[in-house]
Amino acid sequence: MSVAASAGDVLSPMSPAAPAKVGPANDPGAGSLAARREQFRGGKVALLAHFRSARATAPAATRLVKALARHVDATLAALWADAGMPANAALVAVGGYGRGELFPYSDVDVLVLLPKAVSGASTSDEAAAAAVGRFVTACWDVGLEIGSSVRSVDECVAEAARDVTVQTALLEARHLCGARRLFKRLVDAHAAAMDPRAFLRAKTLEMQQRHVKYEGTPYSLEPNCKESPGGLRDLQVVIWVARAAGLGRTWSELASKGLITPFEARQLLRHEGTLTLIRARLHTVAGRREDRLVFDLQTATAESFGYKATKEQRSSEVLMRHYYWAAKAVTQLNQILMLNIEERINGSADAPMRPITARFFDRAGMLEVASDDLYLENPHAILETFLVFQQTPGLQGLSARTLRALYNARKVMSAPFRHDPINRELFMDILRQPTGLTHALRLLNQTSVLGRYLWVFRRIVGRMQHDLFHVYTVDQHILMVVRNVRRFFIPEHAHEYPFCSQLAAQWDPPWLLYVAALFHDIAKGRGGDHSDLGAIEARRFCRTHGISREDTQLIEFLVQHHLTMSRVAQKEDLSDPEVVASFARLVGTPRRLTALYLLTVADIRGTSPRVWNAWKGKLLEDLYRTTLRALGGAQPNGDAEIEARKLEAKQNLALHSALPGTEIPLWRTLEVSYFARHDAADIAWHARTLWRHVETQVPIVRARASSVGDGLQVVVYSPDRRDLFARICGYFDSAGFSILDAKIHTTRTGYALDTFQVVATNHWPDMAGGADAELKYRDLISLVETQAALALASEGPLPEPRSGRVSRRVRSFPVTPRVSLAPDERAQRWLLTVTASDRSGLLYAIARVLGRNHVNLQLAKVTTLGERVEDTFLVDGPELQKSKSQLRIESELLDAVSAAAP
């Protein structure tokens, strides 16, 4: 039974007790308590000040965490004595504090161990409870944030049997003061109750669950240096399970038992020191318990190491590169050791092996090398490992012995290894395999073989991307893109991207696209255009790996232009025949077009789950289809296409039971450009929606569930006015909608006919396209139609743009606002491009400037890449013909998009 406000209900994580405060008036020890407080705080401040001023090294961090633990030890011992604790009780450090380490702002987990459960029925029990209360209160009063529990030995054992977290905390129990015999009873009882096999299983499952929580990768852009894969916790798990099985308490003890080599022990100490240093520096910079390397703290933490920013990279990138390399090594070593310990505990080291080749065996589904020195004696076997893994059904991974052999063979993977023709052929065989490529490449990267074979790949391992839309490091993004391309060729994934899968089924050979995906971002972070530099690297790879000239040219083209199709689809007017013709000339052949389309979709999907949406997919598919027609020899015939579109629209109207001639009132007011920019379904919808309102004097707003992904399609028909577009943007912003696309048209009779694709940004429910969605969101559609019409009918002045809030990530990595205004090839219209950090109200601010300067908007393409926007507008107007007016408009636009810039 626990006392002190039930502080013993949970052992780990320790929840702070809630003691009753004892003030100076009724506490005879108040004076000495104040002295204890000053002594504790002064000592901690001195330790932290010394650490901040010292050189940032791993030994300095190790000394700090041990010194802080000793400082707390002394304080607790003094408070224990001051509280008059029973002589037969003991104070025990548990959890991380039990290891004799304490980070600057970590909790202090302690166990007050009593010889028997406190019931409160006797005088001695009441005295013990009162003493415990005084002790816990004093701890909080001096500034110790303790997590305390009060239990007997029997209660501890019973609780540990129910909760593996408590069992783990007691595993690291350390005597602080009080009855040593009682503490030894606890240690003996805990050891007797320990089941190493069950403990290993529980901690393995717990580790897997934790890895899933932190995205299963050490390369998160804001990793938790304690809990993420490759963090300190992965090292602690190894020690816990080894200790529970009696295999050792330290890395040196594990080495003496043959679980790790002396080299691995040194590596573990080195990387543990790096992570300890980063976590300690992070705590001191944050001034609180903070284990996440969040963007806000990365730069300050890096500067505390003495790292300086250069033109090529930020100081935070240097820090994160060191972190990622350490985390990756910890991930590898954790995997080796956990498998080794599992073999020792479960006896699977003696499991029978099935020979695969003379060099490799299948041991219980794991690929096992025939000898520990296989790779040192025959370096060709290194890449052969991954080829055999791909070719052998039933293999689930690499055994501990194989992983260790690869880890210890890194020095063999030198320049001669990379230039060896046999190794080059083996690597090409891996890429050409019909199955297992994604898993093989991930294993190649996890074991560091990929970066040691492709030296150019090694340069981007763990490299961050500060562009506000990539959420992975460069190497992880590349492997994600390869995976996406690979899925296009797997029938089981055809439902994800049906059109891509259809094109992939006709493409051969797939490995050409895999090579292009592997190299498309490989030159990131060097300065200069990474597409051009990457094309050079791709050409060099193809030449050294015996790839034909024709295939080399295709791969080089894909790498050099992997951003082009996305840019054209999202920023240019696809209804302009010259735009399509120019893109067709660049691509040259249908084969190149298909390859570029597949790579572009895979690339966008591999940046971040937030970047891709169905609207971008439609733009890319539209560009693919129109370009394919142009490449097939079909010359753009605007008149014929428009007539075909009108005919299809009439058929659509008939399907909706519209009367013959329904389209005539609206169509007679429209220019050819309207029909060129809208598809038949939209043309028919506009006709049947607006035929009664062609001469309306009030704004008409109609909406429907988008036929392309989530969101709404909204059409606005109104007498044109100078600030109409700004008012529309203002309404959507205030209603919580983000505009994806806008098609602006003015009729011959002076009416605005504007169509918008919008998606919800806050409280609106998810919207799926189709008839079911339209029925489900009928009330929402009705609300939008009513409120938007009222907003557009307003005659008052335009409200000032809201001061849009920017995200924490944008504050850390702001985008420099840029505005570009350039005439098109015929000098009749102007292309306005705006790049800035995303925030609410941004498009409205731009629209106000355009309206104020009498700039007519014809087309708007709003591209949101994570938290960066790249908006493109096709505009015209008399003010744009004057140089001074142009400069004024560009200046006002910069002021507008910079208003809330961080």
Side-chain angles (χ1 to χ4, degrees), residues 511-512 542-543 545-555:
W511 64 265
L512 291 174
C542 292
R543 186 177 66 248
H545 286 74
I547 297 174
S548 70
R549 182 178 180 182
E550 180 183 355
D551 289 342
T552 297
Q553 289 173 345
L554 173 62
I555 292 169

Side-chain angles (χ1 to χ4, degrees), residues 712-764:
L712 294 178
Q713 190 175 23
V714 182
V715 61
V716 175
Y717 185 76
S718 169
D720 203 8
R721 54 193 286 192
R722 182 166 57 91
D723 60 2
L724 182 63
F725 182 69
R727 290 189 184 276
I728 295 172
C729 293
Y731 165 73
F732 282 134
D733 177 54
S734 64
F737 284 98
S738 177
I739 299 174
L740 295 180
D741 186 76
K743 292 186 175 74
I744 312 300
H745 187 76
T746 305
T747 70
R748 294 191 185 107
T749 53
Y751 281 79
L753 176 51
D754 302 342
T755 310
F756 299 87
Q757 292 280 345
V758 299
V759 292
T761 57
N762 47 32
H763 59 281
W764 299 104

Side-chain angles (χ1 to χ4, degrees), residues 620-776:
L620 285 170
E621 186 173 335
D622 288 348
L623 178 58
Y624 174 85
R625 292 184 185 277
T626 54
T627 307
L628 187 63
R629 286 198 295 271
L631 290 171
Q635 296 300 317
N637 187 335
D639 293 340
E641 287 205 17
I642 286 171
E643 289 306 316
R645 203 167 291 178
K646 285 182 176 180
L647 179 60
E648 186 181 347
K650 289 180 180 179
Q651 293 169 347
N652 189 299
L653 286 168
L655 289 174
H656 286 83
S657 303
L659 295 172
T662 297
E663 73 282 359
I664 295 175
L666 181 65
W667 284 13
R668 66 162 56 110
T669 70
L670 300 174
E671 301 282 359
V672 172
S673 59
Y674 165 85
F675 295 99
R677 285 188 185 149
H678 292 83
D679 61 29
D682 290 349
I683 293 170
W685 179 50
H686 295 167
R688 72 174 188 270
T689 300
L690 302 174
W691 70 280
R692 295 181 179 177
H693 308 285
V694 173
E695 297 182 356
T696 182
Q697 295 304 307
V698 296
I700 302 297
V701 179
R702 295 292 181 263
R704 65 177 181 176
S706 176
S707 59
V708 183
D710 295 341
L712 294 178
Q713 190 175 23
V714 182
V715 61
V716 175
Y717 185 76
S718 169
D720 203 8
R721 54 193 286 192
R722 182 166 57 91
D723 60 2
L724 182 63
F725 182 69
R727 290 189 184 276
I728 295 172
C729 293
Y731 165 73
F732 282 134
D733 177 54
S734 64
F737 284 98
S738 177
I739 299 174
L740 295 180
D741 186 76
K743 292 186 175 74
I744 312 300
H745 187 76
T746 305
T747 70
R748 294 191 185 107
T749 53
Y751 281 79
L753 176 51
D754 302 342
T755 310
F756 299 87
Q757 292 280 345
V758 299
V759 292
T761 57
N762 47 32
H763 59 281
W764 299 104
D766 291 338
M767 290 174 280
D772 291 342
E774 190 149 357
L775 180 63
K776 185 176 180 181

Side-chain angles (χ1 to χ4, degrees), residues 210-221 228-229 471-472:
R210 174 170 50 83
H211 286 182
V212 169
K213 177 182 176 182
Y214 290 97
E215 302 174 0
T217 174
Y219 298 117
S220 169
L221 296 188
S228 287
V471 297
Y472 309 108

Side-chain angles (χ1 to χ4, degrees), residues 61-91:
T62 302
R63 287 193 295 271
L64 172 70
V65 296
K66 292 185 179 300
L68 285 171
R70 289 194 299 269
H71 182 53
V72 171
D73 289 352
T75 304
L76 287 172
L79 295 174
W80 181 269
D82 292 347
M85 294 297 294
N88 58 355
L91 182 62

Side-chain angles (χ1 to χ4, degrees), residues 68 99 160 224 230 266 279 291 401 462 550 554-555 573 665 725 803:
L68 285 171
R99 289 192 296 274
N224 185 308
R266 292 193 299 274
R279 188 183 179 205
D291 297 326
R401 189 181 185 190
E550 180 183 355
L554 173 62
I555 292 169
D573 184 1
F725 182 69
S803 179

